[in-house]
Amino acid sequence: MLSLLARLGGLAAPVLRGMTLGVRGACFDGDGRVFLVRHSYIKGWYLPGGGVERGESAAEALARELREEGGIELAAPARLFGVYMNPKRRRDHVIVFVAHAFDRPSPPAYPNREIAEAGFFDPRALPEATSPATRRRIGEILDDVPAAPLW
């Protein structure tokens, strides 16, 4: 039921909301591993993140999403990495931040209603089901490759 509602919401958002703005956080721990989540309503592994709500800055949305999805509390502001347009939904834009300074004092219990599982992964050995866009963003961040304009 939740996955059906999420899909319907995704289809209705471009019509009802006009432009949408989302955030994703590439959080690297002290061992260089990146934090990824696997949602309960969509296949694959992704950088944690979500939509920016009314009256919320992108940085506030990032902090909220990291806390909700991973129990991650930023110890310093995350660095803005890039802004991308989603070619599948031309009015959808995603802002990517990079964080190295964070704590994880209270990780959520998994699975929960939104996140099936989460963890830190070696960027050179990501789970097979990691989304192509997630792989591209991690590659851009780590390999100093110019960021592509499209998600």
Side-chain angles (χ1 to χ4, degrees), residues 11-46:
L11 293 172
V15 175
L16 300 175
R17 295 175 78 183
M19 190 183 98
T20 58
L21 182 62
V23 294
R24 296 277 177 177
C27 298
F28 294 91
D29 69 7
D31 294 324
R33 299 174 304 166
V34 64
F35 184 75
L36 299 177
V37 297
R38 189 173 65 78
H39 293 95
S40 60
Y41 51 86
I42 189 170
K43 292 181 181 183
W45 289 86
Y46 300 86

Side-chain angles (χ1 to χ4, degrees), residues 2 5 15 21-22 29 32 36 38 58 64-65 69 71 73 88 90 92 99 101 111 117-118 123 126 130-131 137:
L2 183 60
L5 291 175
V15 175
L21 182 62
D29 69 7
L36 299 177
R38 189 173 65 78
R64 176 181 50 75
E65 290 290 345
E69 294 185 1
E73 297 287 342
K88 293 179 184 174
R90 293 180 168 228
D92 181 31
E117 56 185 320
L126 297 172
T130 301
S131 77
R137 299 301 78 85

Side-chain angles (χ1 to χ4, degrees), residues 31-85:
D31 294 324
R33 299 174 304 166
V34 64
F35 184 75
L36 299 177
V37 297
R38 189 173 65 78
H39 293 95
S40 60
Y41 51 86
I42 189 170
K43 292 181 181 183
W45 289 86
Y46 300 86
L47 297 170
V52 178
E53 302 296 333
R54 281 186 196 271
E56 184 177 56
S57 72
E60 290 168 336
L62 177 70
R64 176 181 50 75
E65 290 290 345
L66 292 177
R67 190 177 319 106
E68 290 173 2
E69 294 185 1
I72 292 173
E73 297 287 342
L74 294 172
R79 176 177 58 91
L80 172 63
F81 180 76
V83 180
Y84 302 84
M85 184 187 81

Side-chain angles (χ1 to χ4, degrees), residues 122-140:
D122 180 324
R124 305 297 177 209
L126 297 172
E128 186 175 319
T130 301
S131 77
T134 299
R135 287 181 185 277
R136 286 192 300 273
R137 299 301 78 85
I138 292 169
E140 290 167 354

